[in-house]
Amino acid sequence: MPYDVAIIGAGVAGACAAIELSRAGAAVLLLEKERGPHHKVCGEFISGECLPALAKLGADFEALGATHIRQVVLQAGRASLPVALPFGARGLSRLALDTQLVNRANNAGAHVARGVLVKQVLPAACEPNSGFVIETSQQTYRARQIFLATGKHDLKSLQVRMGREANAVGFKRHVKLPASVMSELEGRIELFIFSGGYAGLSLVEGGLANFCFILDRHIVKTVGSGWEQLIHYLTRQNTRLQDLLDVAKWQWHKPLAIANIPYGFVYRNPALPDIFVLGDQFSVIPSLTGDGISQAVFTARQAVAFYHQIGSGLDRRAAIRQYNEWVGQPFRKQVRTSYYVQQWFRSTTATEWGLQLLKPFPKLIECLARHTRVRFPLED
Ligand SMILES: Cc1cc2nc3c(=O)[nH]c(=O)nc-3n(C[C@H](O)[C@H](O)[C@H](O)COP(=O)(O)OP(=O)(O)OC[C@H]3O[C@@H](n4cnc5c(N)ncnc54)[C@H](O)[C@@H]3O)c2cc1C
């Protein structure tokens, strides 16, 4: 039984848990199916409330060249509403963030095994406190505890998640824009809302911007899934968006895409009574609110805190049950609010009217934004 904890998935949640556990002296195995650093479909908006916790874990936003985001500009049809964010956020590619966190985990002593696809997790024996056998594409590992952090990818032997809505398709591509447009985008994220989807554009490191959008599956079926067809569709939704995309120089040979996103899912007790479930495996918050990374960091920190209580008064199942309740309760509220916000933003006309009505009440939007955020404990 060489490992105290095996963490499946080296995204934000898995890497953060690996850093904390390793720093506390646990023998940690971090398993990741991708062979090397990779891009992910994400708006790359890192919300303010998780920045101190990420910094404590060793994320160095300055060294990575993360940009600052202080304002969101909401746009629908002809309406445009700039709103100051009640929390300062950063723009940073997931490639840079995730790579740095995995390196930090490695430096803290975790054994990082890349290019290893976990296929199955089985209890090592029938007794409740026995460890686990992890069958992978490479070899079989053993660990006393499992942290499940596979993001939106379900491990079939462990869990199948059901979102309220799984018909959204997400796309992302980095883009180079003329210097004048880059300086217009400085300090802000522009969000374009239209019937059946929304798109976000903001600066990341390296003189690039990140363009990420969500479309209903039926729209993708109708307009076609080719990049030119999708962009053509988007430019017809908003004139400002058209101006920006007309001068875009797309990076990479093709965009990234993800389908069947189970928005609204929140993990419920006690589907997996012996396993800590983290990040998107615990909850899939509608991405319009840009708080999935915060949730991933939050679950990692809380899971590690409850893991440390095993043995000091709590048995494993009790610690995991308490963790699930501690995280699940606030997440359910947060995800519900975010889900209704995303639903309200589903139509161009409703959003256009809504933005006009909200214009005189910026505090109301700030308040709504706060309710879609994870509340970190004060020590974070
Ligand atoms: C379109 C879109 C836009 C978003 N925009 C934002 C945003 O702007 N801001 C924000 O905060 N959040 C955003 N999110 C949400 C955010 O991306 C996620 O909440 C976050 O990535 C969750 O982190 P995680 O560690 O749980 O999962 P992930 O980051 O997905 O990591 C999971 C890891 O597990 C690995 N893995 C999966 N299966 C296996 C296996 N069987 N064996 C080994 N490894 C495995 C994967 O390769 C992956 O590296 C967005 C999401 C979408 C879909």
Side-chain angles (χ1 to χ4, degrees), residues 9 11-13 32-33 40 43-45 94 118 149 151 155 279-280 292-293:
V12 172
E32 169 56 49
K33 69 180 170 63
K40 281 182 179 160
E44 304 190 328
F45 169 91
R94 291 297 301 277
V118 174
L155 207 61
D280 275 3
I293 295 172

Side-chain angles (χ1 to χ4, degrees), residues 258-272:
I258 184 167
N260 299 325
I261 309 166
Y263 285 134
F265 168 82
V266 183
Y267 175 79
R268 280 203 178 266
N269 248 341
L272 299 170

Side-chain angles (χ1 to χ4, degrees), residues 44-63:
E44 304 190 328
F45 169 91
I46 308 176
S47 190
E49 75 276 8
C50 70
L51 296 174
L54 279 171
K56 265 191 199 163
L57 293 168
D60 188 343
F61 292 100
E62 300 310 322

